């Protein structure tokens, strides 16, 4: 929940809409994709910002980010809906399901991410940073004005404490990242330096800038790993103002918020109160929105967008439908094959299942033809390998893993199986049957059976009615070959537990993407994450090629090498057939109460609720 409470409940990351909004996003993309010319600072120089590649867009005297209205009025209440439940107010640990918004509204980081650049961080709890050319360390100089909500200053001791606690007792991604720190030392009165292992990971300097800072005086290490409903103390713009466990959490804007006049915060956090209501069913949540009980709702289902967003509130203008421009890669929305389980550990079986998925029929009959097929893990960006032959750098990196990389993928010729949309998928069925026969299966009595005589059967977990509808279409494609797909409807709590322990054959999952993928790729695709519970490596990817390409991604010194590394990683993942890629939208859809207003310029990440206001 890096963005302040807005994206976890929406269907996507960004959208496309009016002509003026499109011009704004195109101008932003042109600005950030210009050639990069170094880090923009001398070694040892104190900087107001740090960029992953190149220099920051905004200078030290900037007054606000480009995607806010600095004159936005304050006040009013915003009510949002979220599917599921919660049993904890601690978002930093493995146990429990934390309430939405805590990480963004209550806890802050040393640096603040700008959402009009690929990956640039600006001074926040730290008023400046120092980074050597080789990025072997980063030094943060704390802002003396930074305060926790109880009035206590945010100190170097809090930073050192937070690093050690999250490294040893935090979530898997915290433990993975923060263990790369080889040395922590105090520098002067308000400075702290983190030095890193010599593994070539240039992103670690920025990763440390995003570390949440916890108050040492209000955090008990002995009980930190236990779920808790104790109201947290943080330095953020909002205070937890009340909870109904599992059903609702309320936030109130902190009138004494220390950074309310800082440039990176100007035009944000405009609502006086924010409430999240939890729902167990998507249909109930949609009806609540249409009745005015929820103020904003993102939608990622074209069928729902075309058919369900109607009624008196839309007719009389109380609710409006909008589309916002998109500046990020589409990410990967897919059916996940759990390769830890047989027979999904066999790539021939996974390829056969992909052949039997009829996207063209599905898109026409279920989604009004509004989806585009996702062909890449970085779809809709220059990081995608789809349609692009590998460059010399990619070929050199991938050469040791030639057996893992599909030749068509390497040459940019690969496309997912397609049909004529008629529902008769016979050519693909023949190819799938040949692969399955090679894997030891045969048709017997109308069923596809293995050497043991048992029918080839898979279970897929569904949480929503929309997923169930999608999975029924998938089952329709498998049926003619005698494959059984069992759709098991589970509630969100059971689904989250089974995801954490990888107790499934298949699930649907969506991995978001940015213009600067980095360490999160380890948490999603590395061999190490495949062997640990509660990671995002839901497919169980264990690939030397993938591991090596993630390492190249993290070690890239310039934009050109970075793009090559991202494309090489894309090729390794596509070649492994670890997921059945689904589809994506070309724009971001949202319906909202007419009393709400958004800035004229949209961030690369799409609409940001923390920049909206009440008219």
């Amino acid at each position: 929940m890096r963005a302040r409470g807005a994206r976890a409940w929406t269907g996507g990351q960004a959208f496309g809409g009016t002509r003026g909004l499109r011009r704004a996003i195109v101008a932003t993309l042109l600005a950030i994709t210009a050639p990069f010319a170094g880090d923009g600072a001398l070694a040892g120089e104190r900087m107001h910002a740090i960029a992953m590649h190149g220099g920051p867009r905004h200078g030290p005297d900037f007054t606000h980010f480009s995607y806010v209205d600095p004159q936005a009025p304050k006040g009013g209440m915003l009510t949002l809906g979220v599917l599921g439940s919660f049993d904890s107010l601690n978002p930093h640990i493995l146990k429990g399901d934390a309430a939405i918004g805590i990480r963004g509204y209550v806890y802050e980081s040393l640096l603040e991410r700008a959402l009009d650049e690929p990956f640039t961080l600006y001074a926040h709890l730290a008023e400046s940073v120092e980074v050597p050319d080789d990025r072997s360390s980063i030094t943060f100089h704390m802002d003396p004005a930074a305060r926790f909500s109880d009035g206590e200053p945010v100190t170097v001791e809090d930073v050192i404490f937070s690093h050690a606690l999250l490294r040893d007792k935090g979530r898997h991604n915290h433990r993975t990242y923060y263990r790369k720190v080889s040395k922590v030392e105090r520098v002067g009165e308000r400075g702290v330096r983190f030095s890193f292992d010599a593994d070539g990971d240039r992103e670690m300097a920025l990763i440390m800038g995003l570390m949440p800072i916890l108050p040492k005086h209000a955090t008990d290490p002995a009980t930190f790993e236990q779920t808790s409903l104790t109201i947290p103390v943080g330095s953020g713009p909002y205070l937890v103002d009340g909870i109904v466990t599992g059903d609702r959490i309320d936030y109130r804007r902190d009138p004494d918020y220390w950074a309310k006049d800082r440039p990176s915060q100007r035009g944000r956090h405009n609502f006086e109160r924010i409430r999240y209501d939890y729902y167990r069913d998507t249909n109930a949540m949609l009806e609540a929105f249409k009745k005015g009980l929820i103020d904003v709702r993102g939608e990622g289902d074209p069928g729902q967008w075309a058919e369900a967003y109607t009624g008196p509130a839309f007719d009389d203008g109380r609710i409006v439908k909008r589309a916002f421009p998109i500046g990020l890669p589409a990410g990967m929305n897919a059916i996940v094959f759990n390769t830890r389980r047989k027979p999904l550990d066999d790539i021939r079986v996974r390829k056969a299942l992909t052949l039997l998925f009829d996207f063209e029929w599905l898109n026409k009959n279920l989604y009004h033809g509004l989806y585009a097929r996702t062909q890449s893990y970085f779809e809709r960006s220059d990081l995608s390998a789809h349609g692009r032959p590998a460059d010399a750098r990619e070929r050199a990196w991938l050469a040791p893993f030639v057996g893992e990389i599909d030749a068509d993928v390497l040459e940019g010729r690969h496309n997912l199986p397609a049909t004529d949309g008629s529902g008769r998928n016979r050519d693909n069925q023949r190819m799938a049957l040949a692969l399955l026969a090679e894997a030891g299966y045969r048709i017997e009595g109308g069923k596809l059976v293995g050497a043991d005589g048992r029918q080839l059967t898979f279970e897929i977990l569904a949480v929503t009615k929309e997923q169930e509808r999608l999975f029924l279409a998938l089952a329709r494609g498998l049926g003619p070959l005698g494959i059984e797909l069992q759709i098991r409807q589970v509630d969100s709590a059971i689904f989250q537990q089974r995801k954490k322990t990888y107790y499934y054959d298949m699930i649907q999952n969506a991995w978001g993407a940015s213009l600067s993928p980095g360490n999160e790729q380890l948490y999603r695709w590395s061999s190490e994450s495949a062997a640990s519970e509660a990671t995002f490596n839901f497919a169980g990817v264990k690939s030397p090629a993938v591991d090596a390409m993630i390492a190249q991604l993290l070690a890239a010194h310039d934009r050109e090498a970075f793009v090559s590394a991202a494309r090489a990683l894309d090729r390794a993942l596509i070649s492994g057939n670890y997921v059945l890629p689904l589809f994506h939208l070309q724009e971001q859809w949202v319906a909202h109460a007419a009393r709400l207003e958004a800035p004229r310029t949209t961030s690369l990440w799409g609409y940001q609720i923390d920049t909206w206001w009440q008219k």
Side-chain angles (χ1 to χ4, degrees), residues 316-331:
D316 62 25
R318 282 175 289 149
I319 299 178
V320 296
K321 295 171 65 175
R322 297 178 65 179
F324 288 83
I326 189 164
L328 293 184

Side-chain angles (χ1 to χ4, degrees), residues 83 278-291 293-294 297 304 465-466:
L83 190 67
Y278 280 76
Y279 292 83
R280 305 300 190 271
D281 178 79
T282 54
N283 291 330
M285 190 162 65
L286 176 59
E287 290 306 312
F289 169 71
K290 294 165 74 170
K291 291 177 181 178
L293 301 178
I294 298 172
R297 179 178 169 87
Q304 288 284 91
K465 294 296 183 183
E466 290 76 22

Side-chain angles (χ1 to χ4, degrees), residues 292-310:
L293 301 178
I294 298 172
D295 292 324
V296 184
R297 179 178 169 87
E299 182 57 67
D301 186 324
Q304 288 284 91
W305 187 247
E307 299 171 1
Y309 287 77
T310 59

Side-chain angles (χ1 to χ4, degrees), residues 343-344 346-354 436 439 441 456 458:
L344 290 170
D346 190 327
I347 193 172
R348 295 168 296 186
V349 174
R350 303 198 298 271
K351 285 183 175 180
L353 295 177
T354 301
L436 292 166
Y441 293 91
L456 183 59
F458 302 99

Side-chain angles (χ1 to χ4, degrees), residues 517-537:
N519 269 277
E520 79 282 352
Q521 304 301 311
L522 289 168
Y523 202 50
R524 297 175 179 185
W525 316 117
S526 71
S527 298
E528 182 179 357
S529 67
S532 302
E533 282 192 3
T535 72
F536 294 156
N537 192 343

Side-chain angles (χ1 to χ4, degrees), residues 220-402:
D220 183 358
T223 60
F224 180 72
E225 292 181 273
Q226 303 302 314
T227 57
S228 171
L229 293 172
T230 301
I231 302 298
V233 174
S235 62
Y238 285 89
L239 308 170
V240 175
D241 199 40
I243 64 170
V244 177
T245 306
D247 291 332
R248 188 180 76 224
I249 182 165
D250 290 295
Y251 296 93
R252 173 173 52 86
R253 192 157 55 88
D254 185 353
D256 300 318
Y257 176 45
W258 72 275
K260 58 186 175 182
D261 296 321
R262 293 294 199 274
S264 65
Q265 308 303 303
R266 195 164 292 140
R268 302 170 60 192
H269 325 306
N270 300 317
F271 295 101
E272 188 66 25
R273 303 178 69 87
I274 298 175
R275 168 175 292 176
Y276 284 95
D277 284 325
Y278 280 76
Y279 292 83
R280 305 300 190 271
D281 178 79
T282 54
N283 291 330
M285 190 162 65
L286 176 59
E287 290 306 312
F289 169 71
K290 294 165 74 170
K291 291 177 181 178
L293 301 178
I294 298 172
D295 292 324
V296 184
R297 179 178 169 87
E299 182 57 67
D301 186 324
Q304 288 284 91
W305 187 247
E307 299 171 1
Y309 287 77
T310 59
F314 295 89
D315 295 338
D316 62 25
R318 282 175 289 149
I319 299 178
V320 296
K321 295 171 65 175
R322 297 178 65 179
F324 288 83
I326 189 164
L328 293 184
M332 177 56 72
N333 175 25
I335 303 295
V336 180
F337 300 133
N338 189 355
T339 62
R340 302 172 182 86
R341 293 188 166 200
K342 291 184 177 300
L344 290 170
D345 60 340
D346 190 327
I347 193 172
R348 295 168 296 186
V349 174
R350 303 198 298 271
K351 285 183 175 180
L353 295 177
T354 301
L355 282 161
L356 297 175
F357 179 69
D358 192 341
F359 165 74
E360 286 73 20
W361 180 90
L362 182 81
N363 195 31
K364 180 174 67 174
N365 287 277
L366 267 64
Y367 301 124
H368 299 261
L370 295 175
Y371 272 134
R373 189 73 191 271
T374 300
Q375 300 274 0
S376 162
Y377 285 76
F378 305 110
E379 185 77 43
R380 207 176 50 210
S381 77
D382 66 343
L383 305 180
S384 169
H386 181 246
R388 296 181 172 103
D391 62 27
R393 187 186 284 113
E394 291 179 71
R395 293 175 188 273
W397 288 337
L398 292 169
F401 314 102
V402 62

